[in-house]
Amino acid sequence: MLDYIASRYDQFLKDLETIVNIDSGSRFAPGIRKIVAFFQDRFSNLGWYTQTPSFADGDVPCLEAANVNPHAPDVGFDFLFLGHMDTVFLEGTAKKRPFSIDGKHAKGPGVCDMKGGLVAVLHVMEALQHFGITDKLSLCGGFNSDEEIGSNASRSWLEEMAGKSKRV
């Protein structure tokens, strides 16, 4: 498994660069929708169920991705991975400070909080699927876009997913 993960390093960096270079401030829904589309495409390519709930009249787009049908009766998740797509940075920041690598450090708006974490979740899920581990576990990822401003609009959705999960 370690060799597989190591072989995906360049793809990880490419994915991180892609989403870091998208402005996604909490109140910039157009950018967040691009990030939702990026992750939705990748999870859909795995054959996962994806939903894009939106809150606050469309200003808080979110993503739910699961390897089991989340609408099935009595569905539950062994693991729920949560993360947020929004940043504290204003529109235009990604253009002024695009993704870069300086030695061993990746830089850019949201690299650590939390875009690197989102890409890590995606790559973990892809690795688990590659090795057939997802055949034995029910997994879900929930990515909201209002965390930096309190998760007020998405809170009940997050709580609902957590309530169906053994581990969050």
Side-chain angles (χ1 to χ4, degrees):
M1 185 182 277
L2 291 176
D3 289 339
Y4 174 79
I5 292 168
S7 76
R8 305 270 302 146
Y9 181 72
D10 289 340
Q11 183 64 52
F12 181 95
L13 289 178
K14 181 180 175 190
D15 293 343
L16 183 58
E17 178 177 15
T18 296
I19 66 167
V20 166
N21 286 338
I22 299 171
D23 285 314
S24 60
S26 301
R27 292 185 170 86
F28 188 59
I32 295 169
R33 282 190 203 95
K34 289 179 183 177
I35 293 174
V36 167
F38 170 84
F39 284 107
Q40 184 176 24
D41 181 60
R42 290 291 285 279
F43 282 113
S44 293
N45 286 339
L46 293 175
W48 288 33
Y49 296 87
T50 63
Q51 302 178 83
T52 56
S54 190
F55 306 99
D57 296 325
D59 290 336
V60 181
C62 297
L63 175 68
E64 182 178 342
N67 70 328
V68 296
N69 184 346
H71 299 299
D74 300 324
V75 70
F77 304 115
D78 293 309
F79 292 94
L80 170 63
F81 297 83
L82 296 176
H84 64 94
M85 300 173 286
D86 61 322
T87 69
V88 298
F89 301 103
L90 299 175
E91 184 180 356
T93 303
K95 187 174 183 176
K96 290 177 189 169
R97 292 191 304 113
F99 179 84
S100 65
I101 297 178
D102 180 12
K104 293 182 178 181
H105 300 102
K107 297 180 179 182
V111 163
C112 291
D113 182 20
M114 141 139 232
K115 292 179 178 183
L118 297 176
V119 174
V121 167
L122 171 64
H123 280 252
V124 164
M125 303 274 202
E126 288 175 335
L128 292 174
Q129 179 128 342
H130 178 80
F131 287 99
I133 297 168
T134 55
D135 296 340
K136 300 174 183 103
L137 294 171
S138 56
L139 305 174
C140 183
F143 299 169
N144 72 329
S145 65
D146 63 339
E147 187 274 343
E148 297 290 0
I149 55 174
S151 298
N152 295 321
S154 64
R155 183 176 312 279
S156 62
W157 169 69
L158 295 169
E159 290 172 347
E160 179 185 334
M161 285 187 296
K164 295 190 284 187
S165 305
K166 293 178 185 174
R167 298 160 196 92
V168 181

